[in-house]
Amino acid sequence: MYWQQRFGRENPDEELENKISEIFIKSNKTYGYRRITGEIRKGTTKVNSKKVRRIMNKLELKCVAFSHLQGYYITFKPVENFCIIVI
């Protein structure tokens, strides 16, 4: 079948995978796909951020330094004339 021919092919993105892994390890696992894309573009290689993200998911590389759950935000306004008396 036609899909069986894909098993014998070598990986066309092997060089890019190595470069992404190298940048990710050098950054102490703090760079996400956006920063890695920028670092790769500083060189001579043109690469799309979607491709970098796809390869990072494939290699299970995830940024551990930043999370949306780190901070919090108080969503209510305090009442002006409110007192608590502790006895």
Side-chain angles (χ1 to χ4, degrees):
M1 299 299 289
Y2 69 93
W3 53 271
Q4 292 174 336
Q5 295 174 358
R6 296 183 63 173
F7 292 131
R9 290 194 305 186
E10 55 184 67
N11 188 2
D13 298 326
E14 187 173 357
E15 182 180 338
L16 187 59
E17 288 177 3
N18 293 335
K19 193 177 286 190
I20 289 172
S21 297
E22 181 182 329
I23 293 171
F24 187 74
I25 291 169
K26 281 184 181 178
S27 72
N28 294 324
K29 300 181 181 181
T30 59
Y31 279 13
Y33 75 95
R34 289 185 181 111
R35 284 183 173 179
I36 290 178
T37 303
E39 289 292 322
I40 293 173
R41 286 180 182 171
K42 283 182 183 177
T44 58
T45 308
K46 289 185 179 180
V47 66
N48 191 347
S49 63
K50 293 177 187 177
K51 186 165 196 160
V52 172
R53 190 172 185 183
R54 192 177 321 123
I55 291 173
M56 286 183 71
N57 285 334
K58 176 184 170 187
L59 299 175
E60 297 179 358
L61 302 176
K62 295 187 180 179
C63 176
V64 294
F66 302 105
S67 172
H68 293 287
L69 302 176
Q70 284 181 345
Y72 63 92
Y73 181 73
I74 299 172
T75 61
F76 66 90
K77 292 182 181 179
V79 179
E80 291 179 12
N81 296 324
F82 183 74
C83 293
I84 298 177
I85 300 173
V86 178
I87 299 175

